[in-house]
Amino acid sequence: QVQLVESGGGLVQPGGSLRLSCQASRRIFSVNHAGWYRQAPGKERELVARVSPSGFTNYADSVKGRFTISRDNAKNTVYLQMNNLKPEDTAIYYCNTDTPSGTIWGQGTQVTVSS
């Protein structure tokens, strides 16, 4: 079973940047979709960004122009570069990947945007 481990979360001031990483335990992102989701307190988990094996990306409207998803197949890692962060971006961020056996989720990393 593939495992995903997120890192890079933390506390940042509004307007700041963070880069989240999602490391897979084996080579998987080159053949499967990968995505970043987030869940704020009291809200449902929502899609932030997604990348296909061919490199096609899509983003939630709320993060377009500020966030960038990318993938390094050699490192089995997917990244989420987050710029111009806003307080409403505060949430637990999860990565996932869709495999023939089902969807796999990481444990999440907390992002807090506050002054």
Side-chain angles (χ1 to χ4, degrees):
Q1 178 77 347
V2 174
Q3 292 185 329
L4 303 179
V5 179
E6 300 99 333
S7 61
L11 173 65
V12 64
Q13 292 186 343
S17 298
L18 284 174
R19 188 176 79 156
L20 305 183
S21 299
C22 174
Q23 173 102 45
S25 56
R26 62 175 175 85
R27 188 178 184 88
I28 194 169
F29 295 132
S30 60
V31 295
N32 294 297
H33 284 80
W36 284 97
Y37 289 72
R38 67 186 181 187
Q39 188 166 19
K43 295 187 177 181
E44 293 186 356
R45 192 172 297 188
E46 63 176 0
L47 173 69
V48 176
R50 191 170 164 85
V51 59
S52 74
S54 63
F56 179 81
T57 58
N58 63 290
Y59 298 89
D61 287 343
S62 60
V63 307
K64 283 180 180 176
R66 300 189 297 123
F67 291 10
T68 302
I69 188 170
S70 62
R71 186 182 64 218
D72 186 334
N73 291 336
K75 295 182 178 180
N76 300 331
T77 301
V78 173
Y79 302 98
L80 185 68
Q81 178 66 43
M82 306 186 295
N83 298 327
N84 190 22
L85 282 159
K86 304 176 180 181
E88 52 264 41
D89 294 318
T90 295
I92 299 174
Y93 284 70
Y94 301 88
C95 73
N96 82 349
T97 187
D98 295 322
T99 76
S101 302
T103 299
I104 300 171
W105 291 89
Q107 84 289 349
T109 185
Q110 175 72 46
V111 172
T112 302
V113 185
S114 175
S115 55

